[in-house]
Amino acid sequence: MSPRGRRAIWSAIFLALFVLSLDYWRWDERVRFGPLGLPSWSLYFVALLVLLSGAIAVFARTDWEGDGEEPPASEPAP
Amino acid sequence: MNYVIISLYLAGMVALGVAGYQYGTKTPDDYFLAGRRVGALVTFFTLIATNFSAFFFLGFAGAGYRIGYSYYVPMAFGTGLVGVAIILIGDRVWRLGKRHGYITPPELVGDRLGSVPLKIVFLTVMVVFTLPYLALQPIGAGYLLAQLSGGAIPEFAGAVLLTVIMVAYVFLGGMRSVALTDVVQGAMILTLMLLAVLVIGHALGGIGEANRRVFALEPSLFSRAGRGDFYNARTWFSYMILWFLAVPMFPQVFMRFFIPKSSLSLKVSASLYPLVTAGLFFGPVIIGVWGHLVFPDLAGTTSDQILPMMMADLAPPWVSAFVMVGALAAFMSTMDSQLLALSSMITRDVYVSFFNRDASVELQVRVGRWLVVILSLIGLAIAYQPPDTFFAIVTEAFTGLAVLFPATLAVLYWRRVTAAGCIASILAGEGALLGFRVGWIPEALGFGFLPLVPIITLTTVTLLALGRWRGAVPEPAVVGRPRIS
């Protein structure tokens, strides 16, 4: 896959995680309790943040440019 | 006992400052950016310690008391998104800084488009929204020290003492000393907040038990929209994007993108950032929520003192002292970075750019050092009797700095960006912020969002409208840069 295609996929993944943080569909649900008596919806966000961290880590390993690599052509030349 | 803990902490900070000095601070690159040789662990700690101010200890707990658990989410997830901002902004800034020797954010932005006016506008916004923040920090630090000493050290005397110690290590070692102290301060913030939660939870019969008791007392603290329906769908969205846009534009954070030795430092920091906010941000919010069990009737901003009040009431004095020193560490780790960031910008973007283009590297470091002293004196003078306008500016600082985000992103990625577009975008955004603040723009034009959302929309549209849409994209000019090494 082209670098542009991979960038589009990663953008979609990060955008999806952001959209999942706007969980308006369950704002009126009755409060349930998770471990330590915390509201279960707060643990949903802990899970989202762990996913976000994992996504960034995978991106860093697979698609983040190395030290010596030039930035993509979109950067204005000095 | 409290004095021993405070003295040990402050002596440790000075010792680290001296250690930073001994590694050499002879060039602006070295003094302001630690020679761009900072490893992954230090980069990570300096990023979190710089960003997490005492507001994290005191303000979060106060908001947890007033709003409940829902306050955790926009703060933790919104700040966790800074990991994505590090990918988007941090990495590109690091590469450009390494290749072209940029030291300050205005230098990079102005130079990429060959525009001195853009550099001045960018610099002005960063200084206007950071200086009052810096000036108000000693007030909080003095308050904390007065609490720790049981009132024996008056607030202003405490502010002076802490500022003197901070100036000493920033003066001596610049970024290297600040980064070293950030590692210790960051570790203190992480561990002492955990300690506070465990000790208070234990005193209240266990974490689960404490939560069940609060729920029986005040169930709205567990509601999704927060107590008193604090959030609605639109304000929720606004808060979710606020930190992503604002945090990378804090000059003290932006400058940290220049300092890593390799991209590995940024990769590690970006990956760990959401994990830290996921765990750490629960701490003060939980303590704030539990505050209802012990102090049920706090009103207004009095609730911002809930964390020290809970510690004083439920924890052994020595634990309480340790945790409050953690809050002090959070204060100092933010203020020292702001001090250095402002000093570097005024040295490079004002003194060298406009008054002495041939300044030697030694002179630049000397000017930077004395600016640290002068800025701290200004901060103390203002802290002695802060004018109301300063509080207003601090309140709007996050949105004011977020206005810079679209222009920065465009400068880094968009080949059709123009300096005029960036300047117009920033001025339109700051003008709209002022308009919302003083009421020239009716609140209804925010459409239920925080002013941030219409303002960022306006800045983005302005930027795009004034892009170079026709013809070939010319190579940007490079403004001659002052010496760095």
Side-chain angles (χ1 to χ4, degrees):
Chain A
M1 188 182 290
S2 70
R4 198 181 177 134
R6 296 185 70 84
R7 278 203 296 273
I9 288 176
W10 279 113
S11 301
I13 289 171
F14 291 128
L15 190 62
L17 286 169
F18 175 70
V19 170
L20 286 171
S21 75
L22 308 173
D23 63 333
Y24 305 132
W25 65 89
R26 57 194 195 123
W27 271 39
D28 296 326
E29 280 180 11
R30 194 173 59 85
V31 176
R32 281 175 297 178
F33 294 96
L36 301 175
L38 293 167
S40 58
W41 52 258
S42 68
L43 302 173
Y44 165 78
F45 284 97
V46 173
L48 268 190
L49 280 162
V50 171
L51 278 177
L52 178 62
S53 173
I56 294 173
V58 173
F59 173 79
R61 286 182 68 90
T62 59
D63 287 273
W64 195 322
E65 294 149 23
D67 284 0
E69 291 174 38
E70 291 292 310
S74 57
E75 183 215 320
Chain B
M1 184 66 179
N2 288 8
Y3 287 108
V4 174
I5 294 171
I6 298 168
S7 304
L8 280 175
Y9 165 69
L10 294 178
M13 293 303 103
V14 174
L16 286 170
V18 173
Y21 175 70
Q22 284 173 339
Y23 280 105
T25 51
K26 293 182 177 55
T27 67
D29 221 28
D30 212 38
Y31 184 71
F32 294 126
L33 300 179
R36 301 178 207 264
R37 290 195 299 273
V38 177
L41 185 74
V42 179
T43 301
F44 168 66
F45 273 110
T46 196
L47 271 169
I48 62 167
T50 297
N51 190 21
F52 302 168
S53 68
F55 179 71
F56 162 71
F57 267 80
L58 305 180
F60 275 32
Y65 183 94
R66 293 188 297 273
I67 299 166
Y69 276 114
S70 64
Y71 184 74
Y72 161 79
V73 180
M75 300 311 289
F77 195 85
T79 308
L81 287 174
V82 170
V84 180
I86 293 174
I87 297 174
L88 210 56
I89 303 270
D91 179 66
R92 189 59 65 96
V93 166
W94 173 72
R95 283 170 204 280
L96 290 170
K98 214 166 177 71
R99 194 190 307 166
H100 303 293
Y102 300 124
I103 287 182
T104 71
E107 203 169 78
L108 181 148
V109 170
D111 189 63
R112 299 309 292 164
L113 297 182
S115 168
V116 174
L118 174 59
K119 180 163 114 173
I120 294 170
V121 168
F122 209 87
L123 169 74
T124 306
V125 171
M126 283 194 153
V127 172
V128 163
F129 287 108
T130 307
L131 188 59
Y133 210 111
L134 173 83
L136 294 184
Q137 297 274 4
I139 299 174
Y143 164 78
L144 278 174
L145 206 54
Q147 293 278 309
L148 267 166
S149 64
I153 302 175
E155 287 190 19
F156 190 69
V160 172
L161 172 68
L162 293 173
T163 303
V164 166
I165 288 176
M166 204 167 4
V167 166
Y169 68 71
V170 179
F171 185 94
L172 283 173
M175 178 64 89
R176 190 166 276 113
S177 295
V178 170
L180 283 174
T181 56
D182 279 350
V183 173
V184 176
Q185 288 163 335
M188 287 173 70
I189 293 168
L190 293 173
T191 51
L192 293 174
M193 180 51 73
L194 180 66
L195 178 69
V197 172
L198 293 177
V199 168
I200 293 177
H202 178 71
L204 293 172
I207 294 175
E209 175 61 20
N211 276 328
R212 275 185 285 278
R213 284 171 56 202
V214 183
F215 183 73
L217 191 73
E218 187 66 65
S220 63
L221 290 166
F222 291 68
S223 74
R224 198 64 191 71
R227 197 168 173 223
D229 285 335
F230 181 81
Y231 295 109
N232 60 42
R234 292 177 188 191
T235 55
W236 182 264
F237 173 83
S238 310
Y239 281 113
M240 280 302 211
I241 61 168
L242 173 63
W243 305 116
F244 171 73
L245 298 172
V247 171
M249 296 299 112
F250 294 167
Q252 67 272 20
V253 173
F254 197 124
M255 280 189 65
R256 269 153 182 72
F257 298 149
F258 289 126
I259 66 173
K261 184 167 56 182
S262 71
S263 65
L264 177 70
S265 302
L266 287 176
K267 290 173 183 174
V268 170
S269 301
S271 305
L272 292 180
Y273 219 94
L275 280 188
V276 170
T277 62
L280 189 63
F281 282 24
F282 257 124
V285 176
I286 286 179
I287 292 171
V289 169
W290 290 346
H292 286 266
L293 295 173
V294 187
F295 303 99
D297 298 315
L298 298 182
T301 51
T302 316
S303 56
D304 284 338
Q305 293 165 24
I306 190 66
L307 193 142
M309 289 166 75
M310 293 284 278
M311 292 305 299
D313 205 67
L314 299 172
W318 67 271
V319 176
S320 183
F322 262 121
V323 172
M324 294 325 295
V325 167
L328 216 52
F331 249 121
M332 291 175 76
S333 61
T334 301
M335 189 176 163
D336 58 13
S337 304
Q338 290 173 323
L339 209 51
L340 189 66
L342 283 174
S343 157
S344 64
M345 289 194 297
I346 296 172
T347 302
R348 298 278 298 175
D349 303 328
V350 178
Y351 173 72
V352 178
S353 292
F354 296 107
F355 296 103
N356 189 359
R357 288 198 66 80
D358 296 323
S360 66
V361 290
E362 291 84 5
L363 179 61
Q364 290 181 47
V365 173
R366 220 162 37 240
V367 170
R369 281 195 164 123
W370 286 107
L371 271 169
V372 167
V373 177
I374 292 166
L375 285 164
S376 64
L377 288 175
I378 292 172
L380 278 176
I382 294 167
Y384 190 69
Q385 207 162 23
D388 288 345
T389 44
F390 269 61
F391 288 107
I393 294 173
V394 168
T395 309
E396 304 298 345
F398 302 132
T399 307
L401 288 168
V403 162
L404 300 174
F405 189 94
T408 304
L409 201 62
V411 166
L412 295 175
Y413 288 95
W414 192 37
R415 291 184 69 88
R416 295 189 178 276
V417 65
T418 63
C422 288
I423 292 170
S425 153
I426 295 168
L427 294 181
E430 302 301 353
L433 177 60
L434 181 67
F436 275 112
R437 174 80 199 182
V438 300
W440 295 335
I441 301 176
E443 207 176 304
L445 282 181
F447 302 103
F449 294 97
L450 295 184
L452 171 82
V453 174
I455 287 171
I456 291 297
T457 307
L458 175 70
T459 56
T460 307
V461 168
T462 308
L463 192 65
L464 292 173
L466 294 177
R468 201 183 306 276
W469 289 106
R470 290 183 178 186
V473 183
E475 298 295 306
V478 177
V479 177
R481 283 187 299 285
R483 279 178 273 183
I484 56 166
S485 57

